Amino acid sequence: MREFSDDNEPQEPDTVGAPKFGRLLIVLLLAVLLIIVITFASEAYFS
């Protein structure tokens, strides 16, 4: 029994981590966009 697995079906070796990497990339891009929006909004508000 695998204690740290969150899925019941084994994955193909070449597809392990592919969906999580795509999701992580999207989250990182959204975080960068949020930082840019906050930067421009604070610059417009404080100046």
Side-chain angles (χ1 to χ4, degrees), residues 30-47:
L30 288 176
V32 170
L33 288 175
L34 182 63
I35 290 171
I36 292 171
V37 168
I38 290 173
T39 302
F40 280 110
S42 63
E43 180 68 25
Y45 181 75
F46 288 116
S47 62

Side-chain angles (χ1 to χ4, degrees), residues 8-26:
N8 295 329
E9 296 182 12
Q11 295 179 342
E12 294 295 324
D14 58 346
T15 60
V16 173
K20 292 183 180 179
F21 177 74
R23 195 181 318 159
L24 178 64
L25 190 61
I26 291 172

Side-chain angles (χ1 to χ4, degrees), residues 4-5 7-8 16 18 22 24 28-29 34 41:
F4 299 107
S5 178
D7 57 349
N8 295 329
V16 173
L24 178 64
L28 287 174
L29 286 175
L34 182 63

